[in-house]
Amino acid sequence: GTIGSNTGTENVAIGNSVLMQNSSGTGNIGMGTNSLFYNSSGGTNIGIGYSSLFETTTGSSNVAVGFQAGRSNTTGSNNSSFGYAAGYIATNYMTGSNNTFLGANSKSTDTAPVAGYSYMTAVGAGAVVVHSCLEEGSTLVGVPARRV
């Protein structure tokens, strides 16, 4: 099944359990099992791939393409995650906005302070934005690039 009890308009859901919790979100596109599963009121999100933007609840204007891409985002907006598990933090939720993760497993660390940062960029397979010696607006490029 797709799209739960929904009052939102102009949503597209293709796949099993896509936009299941959507209540009022508008203009969302979900393709792939569990894509945008918990979205409730977030709008203009695009999730393509198994469990992409899975945890997003109220965040808007996020784009995630790839298996579990952007899965950890909850309330952040304007985030971009491209690649296998890009932007996926296994043990924490991401609340920051305007972040870019490009490449397989590119992400911020599992620690809460970084998970809430905004304007972070990680480019390259395995590029990880790490808490220590790091501030909002940091950019890491490389395979794998890590700032510790």
Side-chain angles (χ1 to χ4, degrees):
T2 58
I3 301 185
S5 56
N6 180 21
T7 61
T9 61
E10 301 173 351
N11 293 300
V12 176
I14 300 172
N16 189 40
S17 299
V18 177
L19 284 163
M20 279 301 288
Q21 302 296 317
N22 195 65
S23 58
S24 61
T26 299
N28 295 294
I29 299 171
M31 296 173 58
T33 298
N34 296 329
S35 179
L36 286 159
F37 185 90
Y38 284 109
N39 188 73
S40 59
S41 60
T44 63
N45 292 299
I46 300 172
I48 300 174
Y50 179 88
S51 292
S52 58
L53 294 174
F54 181 80
E55 301 285 351
T56 300
T57 55
T58 60
S60 294
S61 302
N62 296 293
V63 178
V65 178
F67 178 85
Q68 295 188 341
R71 179 181 174 137
S72 304
N73 182 64
T74 56
T75 59
S77 295
N78 306 313
N79 293 303
S80 302
S81 301
F82 294 92
Y84 177 92
Y88 174 42
I89 307 167
T91 60
N92 209 330
Y93 296 117
M94 194 166 110
T95 58
S97 296
N98 304 300
N99 296 300
T100 302
F101 303 104
L102 179 60
N105 296 304
S106 58
K107 61 183 178 180
S108 64
T109 61
D110 296 347
T111 59
V114 176
Y117 280 179
S118 295
Y119 301 100
M120 307 290 277
T121 303
V123 179
V128 178
V129 178
V130 181
H131 180 318
S132 58
C133 301
L134 194 61
E135 297 179 9
E136 279 190 298
S138 294
T139 300
L140 289 141
V141 179
V143 183
R146 298 177 194 270
R147 174 120 184 218
V148 291

